Amino acid sequence: MALWDEDLARLVAQAGLGEGRPSYRRLEQAARAMGEVVDSAVREPGRSAHVSALSRQIALTMGLPEMFAEAVAIAGSLLDLGQLGVPRHVTDKPSILTVDEMELVRCHPGVGARLLERAPGLSEVATWVAAHHERPDGRGYPEMLGEEELPLAPRILAVADAYWALRAERLYRPAFAEEETLVQIELGAGGQFDAAVVEALPQALEVVAAAGLTVGGAAPSDRGRTRTCPPRARPARTAPRSARRRPRRRRAPARAPWRRRCPR
């Protein structure tokens, strides 16, 4: 069942005990909340909301149905859900990733899709999330889908995601200016990005900006920044170093298997 099917609103309303009128509000709120969790994990506040709003407006600019645009917006909020499965030492690495690390990053669309496909009504959104790094020229990942196999929704999501990725600060580069970002995306039209979606991007950005959502760049990332604390005052020595006894180090209790951290 697709997200924009009429029966979905009824099912969502039935899932909320005592809720009266069927609506998408609960689903939108849940998607927005999950997006904020991901934003916090990758330390890019506001990213999911930016991608969601821009994806929705691109779909409307292209003349697509409003219900389809709303579904794309929800997918935009959940786009990087799979990033929660990527180890922090990989996402925070300031240098070039190794081959194995790159493979971990390239798994995040599939991880997000597997999380979403179990939710009622989100099976179609799961396929969009899984394909949002695919390319019309067949050189994307994870499945290297061709132009005929790639649906329109992930093409829209790919452009919106790429725009905000370029506008955000990274450990290895500063944020791109808006004009330079548009140039980079236009250079990828027909290969990395769908040409029709790229053509709709500038007008969609104008509408989003007029609606009050800033397009001047996402909130700067705090990746790689360290907090500076005042130096601790050294206690006065009361005995020679050799006479002082080093306290025994207490062993930490063993973690339960399901609470163990991923290997770093």
Side-chain angles (χ1 to χ4, degrees):
M1 180 176 60
L3 180 60
W4 57 91
D5 285 347
E6 295 179 357
D7 288 342
L8 180 60
R10 176 178 53 80
L11 293 175
V12 172
Q14 290 176 355
L17 299 178
E19 297 291 336
R21 187 174 182 180
S23 70
Y24 285 93
R25 186 177 301 276
R26 290 173 60 85
L27 187 57
E28 291 172 345
Q29 290 175 345
R32 193 179 305 115
M34 285 189 285
E36 291 175 356
V37 170
V38 177
D39 293 346
S40 177
V42 301
R43 286 179 278 186
E44 289 189 29
R47 174 173 170 78
S48 62
H50 284 85
V51 174
S52 175
L54 184 55
S55 301
R56 177 183 182 277
Q57 190 55 51
I58 290 175
L60 293 176
T61 302
M62 297 178 67
L64 299 171
E66 184 174 357
M67 294 298 292
F68 179 84
E70 295 295 340
V72 173
I74 290 178
S77 295
L78 303 170
L79 202 59
D80 285 330
L81 187 62
Q83 289 280 8
L84 297 176
V86 181
R88 178 64 63 83
H89 77 277
V90 175
T91 58
D92 287 355
K93 187 175 181 179
S95 57
I96 298 176
L97 299 180
T98 65
V99 174
D100 291 338
E101 291 169 342
M102 183 60 69
E103 288 301 317
L104 287 174
V105 173
R106 292 190 171 189
C107 287
H108 84 267
V111 173
R114 286 194 294 273
L115 292 172
L116 293 173
E117 66 185 0
R118 304 175 185 178
L122 292 180
S123 58
E124 189 78 6
V125 168
T127 63
W128 297 350
V129 169
H132 78 275
H133 279 296
E134 300 288 354
R135 299 169 43 146
D137 61 5
R139 299 174 60 187
Y141 65 87
E143 299 295 335
M144 301 183 69
L145 300 178
E147 184 173 7
E148 297 180 356
E149 303 170 294
L150 185 58
L152 179 57
R155 302 183 192 209
I156 294 173
L157 294 166
V159 171
D161 182 52
Y163 176 85
W164 287 114
L166 292 172
R167 297 292 283 130
E169 181 184 348
R170 292 288 189 265
L171 284 172
Y172 49 87
R173 62 158 176 82
F176 280 64
E178 182 176 358
E179 296 78 8
E180 189 176 3
T181 300
L182 290 175
V183 169
Q184 293 294 325
I185 292 179
E186 288 172 0
L187 289 175
Q192 183 178 359
F193 305 115
D194 184 276
V197 178
V198 173
E199 184 178 358
L201 177 61
Q203 183 179 348
L205 287 171
E206 293 179 3
V207 176
V208 169
L213 184 59
T214 304
V215 296
S221 171
D222 62 352
R223 290 182 177 180
R225 300 180 183 178
T226 57
R227 296 182 179 181
T228 56
C229 301
R232 295 182 178 180
R234 291 188 175 183
R237 294 183 179 178
T238 58
R241 185 182 297 271
S242 59
R244 286 182 291 165
R245 298 181 61 182
R246 184 175 297 178
R248 292 185 177 181
R249 182 176 298 177
R250 299 178 64 182
R251 298 181 61 182
R255 286 178 174 265
W258 57 272
R259 296 189 63 182
R260 292 174 184 167
R261 294 183 180 179
C262 298
R264 293 183 179 271

